Amino acid sequence: MNNRAKESIDKITFKKLRRLYLFALLTIAIMVALSQILIQYNLKSQLSDSRIINISGKQRMLSQKLAKEVLILNFVTDTTKKNEEVIRINEILSLWKSTHYNLEKGNDILGFPKEKSTNITQLFASIKPHFDTIVNATSQFLDNIKRGKNLNKNQKLVQTILENEGDFLLKMNQIVSEYDKEALDKVTLQRKTEYVIFGFTLLVLLLEFLFIFKPTNHKVEKLISKLLLSEKKALELAYNTEIISEIKENSVKELKSLNYAMENTLLYCRVAPNGSLIHIGEKFSKLLQYNPFISDKTFSQVLTPIEKEQLIIDRIISEKHRSGWQGEINITNRNGESLWLDLSMVPVTIKKEESELLIVCFDITERKKAEQEVERLNTENVTDKINQQKIISSRIVENQENEQNRIAKEIHDGIGQMLTGLKFSLESINLDDKEKSAQKIEYLKKLSLDIIKGVRTATFNLMPPELSDHGIVSSIAKLTQELSKLTGKNILFYNKTNFDQRLDSLIEINIYRLTQEAINNAIKYADSTHIIVQLSHSNSILGITIDDNGKGFDVNAVEKKRNSESGMGLLFMKERIQYINGRVFINSIPGEGTRITFNIPI
């Protein structure tokens, strides 16, 4: 009878929790729906407010435009233009009148409310005399123009329009300000309403946690304790009772099936609060290479033979046997192998003054090994990247030094010597001997042209003026022409899609240097006689392709030789193209030639 009464109480309790849970969900759903309805209503109202403010602002513009057109018409003498002005003023006046009446009286189609606040109603009442005066004066003015009569009165009508137009603008500004203030009040009210709904929703969630989830958790813990207690009693009856009824035998079979499933699928055991082992699962005992029939061992001694690791496990059980614990531990098995376990320790109450710990583990050794391997590979990749950057940095510094030495040598050996010769020639001119002076002056002119050419060549190598003046197309065309003249090789450039856009200066200089590097490599290493540079583009990609008929190379073999000059050249290309978010494709066949393609987003 007592058991039935307890079951009945449990059913009533769970039904009550279910009703409370459904009530909480329904409350949250209602609050969310109410919040959405209020938000949508306020958004619709705000859209109407913004439209009204916009139209009210246009009314000011229309009044100014009307006054302006009336002034213009007053001074127009040409009959054709006068008729056009009359039509334009009639259109403006009609639009101005209809809009004003819709704002004042309301219009459901346009979304203008018929009900207005007291302030706006008063403002429309105060603006009405000025509005009516402007409308009447404009109508009389146009009527006089059409009939060609009473034209002497038009000047007074124009003056009347201008006098009332200023007052109309002032009142209209007040109306727009009042509409804006009311719209702001609506937004503020909506914000407060949403805060109230949000606070109420949080309160419902808190109450749901306190009165639904927490009691449910308590019920589940008690259910687990009951199941463990039932298992213990069933095992005692199985070992100590010789005659078991058919019903009890079926119960024992079910418990054995459940126990078998746990033994062979879970790494679990039961431990007393003092650390002694009560029971260990078969799968767990196989993993630890422990004989489950030995009962004089503690849980820490079963896990590991290492004393230091046993002390750590005993300390965890001693400190956490009441509150429970979950974490990862590293142990050493009896073969000296390292094992990682994800261990969960749950305190279970058996009786009022008797409790034990249910420990469930997962073998995460392979995962840890994988994590360590990933960490090792990441460390190697970082180290390799740092070494590459060091090599790149040293090569950049070396190339800068070589370029500076080359420029200095060109200036010293070429331009410097020519300037020295120019100086000596100027000093040797004898103005008394006009014939020799004329010859020397001609020589000096030629020498000056050579100096200018040398300076232009040096500056072209540093930064071609075409790049900053005309863009990447002109600079690449100039580059191919100059290199073709200097090397004697057939270097051609084709702008296939007539690309003529200007790009960011940083992108243009990188594209130029990449193209220059590819052509120089084809000249220096490929022994090619023909080099073709092609430029094409789409809406989002600029493509540059450099083809040569040289000796080609094995791309994979060169990329592996990072310390070689050719390997570093390819690495520099990839680093530079990545700097401008582009991509490089290198295709080469030994003995046939090489194609390098740069794709840059534009």
Side-chain angles (χ1 to χ4, degrees):
M1 292 294 292
N2 291 332
N3 290 337
R4 290 181 179 178
K6 288 182 179 179
E7 290 178 0
S8 178
I9 292 172
D10 289 341
K11 287 182 179 179
I12 293 172
T13 302
F14 276 110
K15 286 182 179 179
K16 183 179 179 181
L17 290 173
R18 183 173 60 188
R19 286 196 299 269
L20 289 173
Y21 185 76
L22 291 174
F23 173 75
L25 289 178
L26 182 61
T27 304
I28 293 173
I30 292 173
M31 294 304 296
V32 171
L34 181 61
S35 175
Q36 283 299 315
I37 292 171
L38 288 174
I39 289 171
Q40 293 300 323
Y41 174 78
N42 287 327
L43 285 176
K44 184 177 180 181
S45 176
Q46 289 171 21
L47 288 175
S48 177
D49 291 342
S50 64
R51 188 182 299 111
I52 290 171
I53 292 171
N54 186 29
I55 296 299
S56 300
K58 287 179 66 176
Q59 278 296 91
R60 295 179 297 181
M61 180 272 293
L62 287 174
S63 68
Q64 291 175 327
K65 189 174 182 181
L66 183 64
K68 175 184 173 183
E69 294 295 335
V70 168
L71 283 173
I72 293 173
L73 180 58
N74 191 41
F75 292 102
V76 171
T77 57
D78 184 77
T79 304
T80 303
K81 290 184 178 179
K82 184 178 292 186
N83 292 332
E84 292 176 355
E85 285 294 329
V86 169
I87 294 172
R88 188 179 298 111
I89 292 173
N90 276 322
E91 292 175 351
I92 296 171
L93 181 62
S94 177
L95 177 61
W96 188 53
K97 287 167 59 178
S98 63
T99 305
H100 187 83
Y101 291 144
N102 288 331
L103 286 172
E104 183 179 6
K105 305 298 182 180
N107 188 310
D108 294 334
I109 298 175
L110 297 177
F112 296 165
K114 295 181 179 179
E115 298 295 331
K116 298 179 180 60
S117 64
T118 305
N119 291 338
I120 291 179
T121 303
Q122 291 175 354
L123 287 171
F124 269 109
S126 65
I127 203 175
K128 182 174 176 58
H130 304 291
F131 173 77
D132 292 339
T133 301
I134 294 175
V135 171
N136 293 331
T138 305
S139 299
Q140 292 178 17
F141 178 84
L142 293 176
D143 188 58
N144 292 338
I145 293 293
K146 289 179 181 178
R147 295 182 178 183
K149 298 178 179 180
N150 298 325
L151 297 178
N152 55 340
K153 294 182 179 181
N154 280 357
Q155 190 62 35
K156 293 183 179 181
L157 293 174
V158 170
Q159 187 64 30
T160 301
I161 292 171
L162 293 177
E163 290 174 355
N164 285 273
E165 194 266 342
D167 294 332
F168 179 83
L169 287 177
L170 179 62
K171 297 293 183 180
M172 207 66 209
N173 284 334
Q174 294 175 358
I175 291 173
V176 172
S177 300
E178 185 64 26
Y179 273 128
D180 186 57
K181 177 178 175 300
E182 291 181 3
L184 180 62
D185 292 340
K186 290 180 183 178
V187 172
T188 304
L189 178 61
Q190 178 187 349
R191 183 182 301 167
K192 292 179 179 178
T193 304
E194 290 181 356
Y195 282 150
V196 171
I197 294 173
F198 178 70
F200 184 75
T201 305
L202 291 180
L203 177 62
V204 171
L205 291 175
L206 177 61
L207 294 175
E208 185 178 355
F209 171 76
L210 293 176
F211 296 104
I212 298 175
F213 290 110
K214 192 173 181 180
T216 303
N217 182 61
H218 182 65
K219 287 288 182 182
V220 171
E221 288 183 354
K222 289 180 65 176
L223 182 61
I224 293 175
S225 300
K226 289 179 181 179
L227 287 174
L228 292 173
L229 183 61
S230 299
E231 180 189 5
K232 186 176 181 180
K233 289 180 178 180
L235 289 173
E236 289 177 356
L237 290 173
Y239 285 113
N240 298 326
T241 305
E242 294 181 357
I243 301 173
I244 303 174
S245 65
E246 184 178 356
I247 298 175
K248 291 184 179 180
E249 185 177 352
N250 290 334
S251 299
V252 171
K253 287 181 179 179
E254 291 177 0
L255 289 173
K256 284 183 177 180
S257 299
L258 178 62
N259 185 60
Y260 178 80
M262 295 179 65
E263 296 278 347
N264 290 276
T265 58
L266 291 178
L267 302 176
Y268 88 101
C269 65
R270 293 158 52 206
V271 178
N274 61 2
S276 60
L277 185 68
I278 298 174
H279 174 74
I280 185 170
E282 183 177 349
K283 186 175 181 180
F284 203 5
S285 62
K286 288 181 180 179
L287 177 67
L288 300 176
Q289 299 177 352
Y290 171 73
N291 186 356
F293 297 103
I294 300 176
S295 59
D296 60 343
K297 298 282 187 180
T298 64
F299 176 64
S300 61
Q301 292 171 342
V302 172
L303 279 182
T304 175
I306 307 300
E307 184 177 355
K308 185 177 180 181
E309 295 176 355
Q310 292 175 359
L311 292 174
I312 294 173
I313 297 167
D314 289 336
R315 178 172 56 80
I316 292 174
I317 294 175
S318 175
E319 295 177 354
K320 304 294 183 180
H321 71 276
R322 293 184 182 275
S323 60
W325 184 81
Q326 193 277 331
E328 298 177 355
I329 59 173
N330 181 223
I331 62 172
T332 304
N333 64 9
R334 285 164 178 77
N335 292 333
E337 299 173 344
S338 177
L339 292 178
W340 280 91
L341 298 177
D342 186 350
L343 187 145
S344 298
M345 181 172 64
V346 181
V348 179
T349 303
I350 305 300
K351 293 181 180 179
K352 186 175 182 180
E353 297 181 355
E354 183 180 349
S355 64
E356 61 184 44
L357 298 173
L358 177 63
I359 296 178
V360 180
C361 298
F362 295 95
D363 186 1
I364 59 172
T365 305
E366 293 300 323
R367 191 187 79 189
K368 283 292 183 180
K369 288 181 179 179
E371 290 176 356
Q372 292 172 359
E373 180 65 16
V374 169
E375 184 177 357
R376 184 186 66 80
L377 291 174
N378 287 336
T379 303
E380 289 181 357
N381 288 335
V382 170
T383 304
D384 186 51
K385 191 70 175 178
I386 291 173
N387 291 334
Q388 288 183 14
Q389 292 296 332
K390 288 181 179 179
I391 295 172
I392 291 172
S393 299
S394 63
R395 288 300 178 93
I396 289 173
V397 173
E398 182 181 349
N399 289 339
Q400 288 176 344
E401 290 295 328
N402 292 336
E403 185 66 14
Q404 290 174 359
N405 290 333
R406 183 187 64 79
I407 294 170
K409 185 175 180 182
E410 286 183 359
I411 293 173
H412 180 270
D413 295 345
I415 300 172
Q417 291 182 1
M418 286 189 287
L419 288 172
T420 303
L422 179 63
K423 175 179 177 296
F424 289 141
S425 297
L426 287 171
E427 291 176 349
S428 63
I429 291 176
N430 185 0
L431 297 178
D432 295 333
D433 191 348
K434 294 183 179 180
E435 184 177 353
K436 288 184 178 180
S437 297
Q439 293 176 356
K440 287 186 177 182
I441 288 172
E442 290 298 323
Y443 169 75
L444 290 174
K445 287 181 180 179
K446 183 180 179 183
L447 184 59
S448 299
L449 291 175
D450 292 338
I451 294 173
I452 293 171
K453 184 178 180 181
V455 172
R456 286 180 176 174
T457 301
T459 54
F460 177 80
N461 291 330
L462 289 174
M463 176 60 73
E466 285 79 4
L467 188 60
S468 58
D469 294 340
H470 305 292
I472 190 64
V473 176
S474 297
S475 59
I476 294 178
K478 182 68 174 179
L479 174 67
T480 54
Q481 291 175 6
E482 292 295 328
L483 290 178
S484 181
K485 291 178 183 178
L486 291 173
T487 61
K489 297 181 181 294
N490 192 7
I491 305 174
L492 303 175
F493 171 68
Y494 296 103
N495 185 359
K496 297 175 65 177
T497 56
N498 295 322
F499 179 76
D500 59 355
Q501 301 178 27
R502 290 302 303 268
L503 305 176
D504 183 79
S505 59
L506 183 61
I507 296 176
E508 288 187 340
I509 188 61
N510 276 282
I511 294 173
Y512 180 82
R513 293 304 183 198
L514 286 166
T515 307
Q516 187 181 40
E517 177 73 15
I519 297 174
N520 286 335
N521 288 343
I523 296 171
K524 187 175 181 181
Y525 301 111
D527 295 333
S528 57
T529 58
H530 289 76
I531 301 171
I532 299 175
V533 182
Q534 301 180 76
L535 185 146
S536 61
H537 77 288
S538 63
N539 291 333
S540 58
I541 297 294
L542 175 66
I544 298 176
T545 303
I546 299 95
D547 291 298
D548 68 71
N549 64 343
K551 59 185 180 182
F553 61 92
D554 187 342
V555 178
N556 295 327
V558 171
E559 286 185 343
K560 290 179 181 178
K561 297 178 181 179
R562 291 291 175 86
N563 295 326
S564 67
E565 187 172 356
S566 57
M568 291 304 297
L570 295 180
L571 183 60
F572 286 154
M573 280 188 184
K574 292 181 178 180
E575 290 288 335
R576 189 183 284 272
I577 196 70
Q578 288 177 2
Y579 184 67
I580 55 176
N581 298 321
R583 299 182 66 187
V584 58
F585 302 94
I586 302 173
N587 297 313
S588 184
I589 301 176
E592 294 187 15
T594 302
R595 164 173 285 192
I596 298 177
T597 302
F598 302 111
N599 286 340
I600 302 97
I602 57 175

